[in-house]
């Protein structure tokens, strides 16, 4: 995947969500576009190394290729590894709702920032536990929104504005009630 193929707005939204974070970044990722977007945001922030905690490390070859293209050194480990930690300045989760619940016991005593890129069920159990432990959890819906806008354009050939889709996304995520 070439860097330009990643939606610029998604990279900007991710970078804006994590602006000012220094030190380590850790991505709990599924090997898909949101994971690639998280890597692009890390690169845009000037990071050179990312720890990737994967449910299936063997399925991360595309993510590794993306990291290589972005000039990032990836450390891909299984989240079944008993030695893993979520003790980073930034943790980006791009796994489906509920998938990261088994990692709640790995939340550090003083968590920093969690960017939880999930379509539904916000806040997720890990985001709730993260904030209960004193950390800040941020929804990644804006990233998904801009990714969706680009996908609609690619599939249909018609451009749509993020503002046209945002209300429906907010309802689908349970962040605003449906309008009658």
């Amino acid at each position: 995947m070439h860097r330009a193929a990643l939606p610029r707005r998604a990279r900007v939204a991710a970078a804006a969500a994590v602006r000012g974070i220094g030190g380590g970044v850790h991505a709990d990722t599924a090997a898909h576009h949101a994971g690639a977007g998280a890597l692009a945001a890390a690169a845009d922030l000037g990071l050179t190394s990312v720890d990737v905690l994967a449910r299936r490390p063997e399925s991360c070859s595309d993510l590794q290729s993306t990291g290589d293209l972005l000039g990032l050194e990836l450390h891909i480990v299984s989240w079944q590894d008993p030695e893993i930690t979520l003790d980073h300045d930034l943790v980006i989760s791009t796994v489906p709702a509920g998938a990261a619940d088994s990692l709640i016991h790995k939340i550090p005593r003083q968590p920093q920032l969690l960017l939880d890129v999930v379509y539904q069920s916000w806040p997720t159990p890990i985001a709730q536990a993260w904030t209960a432990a004193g950390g800040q959890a941020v929804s990644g819906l804006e990233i998904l929104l801009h990714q969706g806008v680009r996908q609609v354009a690619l599939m249909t050939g018609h451009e749509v504005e993020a503002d046209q889709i945002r209300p429906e996304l907010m309802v689908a995520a349970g962040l605003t009630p449906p309008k009658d």
Side-chain angles (χ1 to χ4, degrees), residues 2-170:
H2 187 269
R3 184 175 183 159
L6 298 171
R8 174 80 180 136
R9 287 184 178 172
R11 290 200 323 266
V12 170
V18 300
R19 183 76 52 211
I21 299 300
V25 64
H26 178 83
D28 297 337
T29 73
H32 54 59
H33 294 297
L39 293 181
D44 282 352
L45 290 169
L47 300 176
T48 59
S49 177
V50 176
D51 293 341
V52 176
L53 181 58
R55 292 177 290 170
R56 293 180 314 277
E58 67 278 2
S59 68
C60 291
S61 60
D62 286 348
L63 207 56
Q64 180 66 59
S65 296
T66 300
D68 292 345
L69 285 169
L70 295 170
L72 293 171
E73 180 181 346
L74 299 188
H75 306 279
I76 299 173
V77 296
S78 170
W79 76 20
Q80 284 81 26
D81 184 335
E83 301 298 318
I84 62 146
T85 178
L86 299 180
D87 193 10
H88 294 293
D89 293 327
L90 169 65
V91 173
I92 303 172
S93 177
T94 65
V95 296
D101 293 357
S102 65
L103 298 175
I104 289 174
H105 70 283
K106 297 284 189 174
I107 294 174
R109 287 194 187 129
Q110 296 181 330
Q112 299 300 311
L113 179 62
L114 169 68
L115 177 60
D116 198 0
V117 185
V118 64
Y119 285 102
Q120 59 188 8
S121 304
W122 179 260
T124 60
I126 196 164
Q128 290 173 333
W130 196 271
T131 57
Q136 181 182 6
V138 178
S139 168
L141 281 177
E142 196 68 20
I143 295 168
L144 296 171
L145 172 66
H146 290 287
Q147 179 181 321
V149 165
R150 179 71 178 136
Q151 288 172 341
V152 167
L154 290 171
M155 290 187 285
T156 67
H158 300 292
E159 297 290 327
V160 294
E161 294 295 321
D163 290 338
Q164 292 174 280
I165 299 172
R166 187 176 285 110
E168 292 300 320
L169 178 62
M170 300 301 279

